[in-house]
Amino acid sequence: MTHEELIDQAARLFKVLGSSLRIHILFYLRKHGESPVSAIVGHLGVSQPVISKQLGILKKYDFVQKRKAGTFVYYSINDQDIVQIIDAMTEHLDHLDRLQ
């Protein structure tokens, strides 16, 4: 992969992470593990169609995976690199909070 291709790929990664709602979803899944859509909806207080759309975007970019069990759809983080990014963001935000 060329340097330009890597930069384009990094830009796509940050574009996906550019949504506060998608970050909320990833933080939730990081903390709670595999979860049904209804639990994510209940925790974030956003409608099911909105959450499902955001989960679809995260799935399109392989950030999450889904598993169907009966009428329920469960989501979990699919990429351990994303876990490391979430952990680094959390650590950085905690650092910024301590500076204030």
Side-chain angles (χ1 to χ4, degrees):
M1 190 175 297
T2 69
H3 182 70
E4 288 300 318
E5 290 171 330
L6 286 172
I7 289 173
D8 288 344
Q9 200 169 18
R12 281 191 295 278
L13 169 83
F14 283 108
K15 186 175 181 179
V16 174
L17 294 175
S19 161
S20 61
L21 184 52
R22 288 192 290 269
I23 291 173
H24 275 290
I25 292 168
L26 289 170
F27 274 54
Y28 179 85
L29 292 173
R30 173 68 175 117
K31 181 176 181 182
H32 298 282
E34 183 182 63
S35 300
V37 174
S38 59
I40 300 167
V41 167
H43 180 76
L44 297 178
V46 179
S47 71
Q48 185 271 329
V50 170
I51 295 294
S52 291
K53 180 178 180 178
Q54 299 308 311
L55 285 165
I57 293 168
L58 291 169
K59 185 173 181 324
K60 177 181 175 182
Y61 290 95
D62 292 324
F63 285 37
V64 298
Q65 61 188 356
K66 73 178 182 178
R67 177 180 67 85
K68 292 182 180 183
T71 59
F72 291 94
V73 178
Y74 293 84
Y75 282 87
S76 60
I77 294 176
N78 188 40
D79 185 340
Q80 288 306 305
D81 291 337
I82 296 303
V83 170
Q84 291 177 355
I85 290 169
I86 292 166
D87 291 348
M89 279 193 290
T90 301
E91 197 173 301
H92 181 68
L93 293 171
D94 288 344
H95 172 75
L96 292 176
D97 190 46
R98 285 190 303 274
L99 292 176
Q100 294 180 359

